[in-house]
Amino acid sequence: MMFRWMCVLLLAGSLLIACGGNPVATSTVEPLTATPLPPTPTSPPPTPTAEPVAPPEINYGHDFCDECNMIIGYDKFAAATILASGEAHKFDEVSNMLFYHLKHPDEQVRAWFVHDYASKTWIRGETAFYVQSAAIITPMNDGIIAFEQEADAQEVAAAKNGETFTFEEIQLVAQQLLQAKEATASPAP
């Protein structure tokens, strides 16, 4: 029994050390004025609104990812969605945000948020440029990061032997990643 408690304490301490991060960071993001995106496999048509939508506050090192239930530890990887109902979902990386909404297609997303990898500031996910590469280490090791500027994404993709994607394209990449993960998952005993 003592050994079990020591293992639990060791694991908890490791998670706290590994998931250290920055304090809560928030910003207000103005609503998009561009033409709404066409429906995708993971998002119903957006609801038009004139009110600004802000990303949720994430308490790094304390809040949990809504997809994998791990602690959200790094702002440069964190992502979030705001539903039409006003409910917020928080994620430890872009891929988990996309996986979650692939698994919950009935949830109408009002706004998608990701962090610009370089500046660590919140940006709208619908207009971000994404890089996916096996050489990019992310919390869940899916290697997807976001950038506000396409040139920044292309530069990192070239340096990391990766590819750049738009929001619609990265949703399809995530769908393929999720299918591959589900196909290789071991059956429960």
Side-chain angles (χ1 to χ4, degrees), residues 40-44 65-67 79-85 87-91 93-113 167 171 174-175 178:
T40 64
T42 60
S43 65
C65 174
D66 285 333
E67 170 62 16
T81 54
I82 304 294
L83 303 182
S85 66
E87 181 183 356
H89 288 297
K90 304 172 188 178
F91 305 96
E93 72 170 79
V94 172
S95 63
N96 274 348
M97 173 181 72
L98 299 171
F99 294 162
Y100 178 88
H101 288 289
L102 282 166
K103 295 174 184 177
H104 301 91
D106 55 315
E107 292 188 0
Q108 187 175 358
V109 177
R110 180 175 175 197
W112 303 79
F113 292 99
F167 181 64
Q171 288 177 315
Q175 188 173 26
L178 183 59

Side-chain angles (χ1 to χ4, degrees), residues 131-136 143 153-165:
V131 175
Q132 198 274 329
S133 170
I136 297 171
Q154 290 172 339
E155 183 180 328
V156 170
K160 297 289 187 176
N161 197 26
E163 293 183 60
T164 59
F165 300 95

Side-chain angles (χ1 to χ4, degrees), residues 128-133 144-145 153 162-171 173:
F129 297 92
Y130 299 86
V131 175
Q132 198 274 329
S133 170
I144 299 174
I145 55 177
E163 293 183 60
T164 59
F165 300 95
T166 64
F167 181 64
E168 293 82 9
E169 293 167 338
I170 202 67
Q171 288 177 315
V173 169

Side-chain angles (χ1 to χ4, degrees), residues 20-33:
N22 296 330
V24 175
T26 62
S27 64
T28 300
V29 178
E30 293 302 314
L32 293 176
T33 56

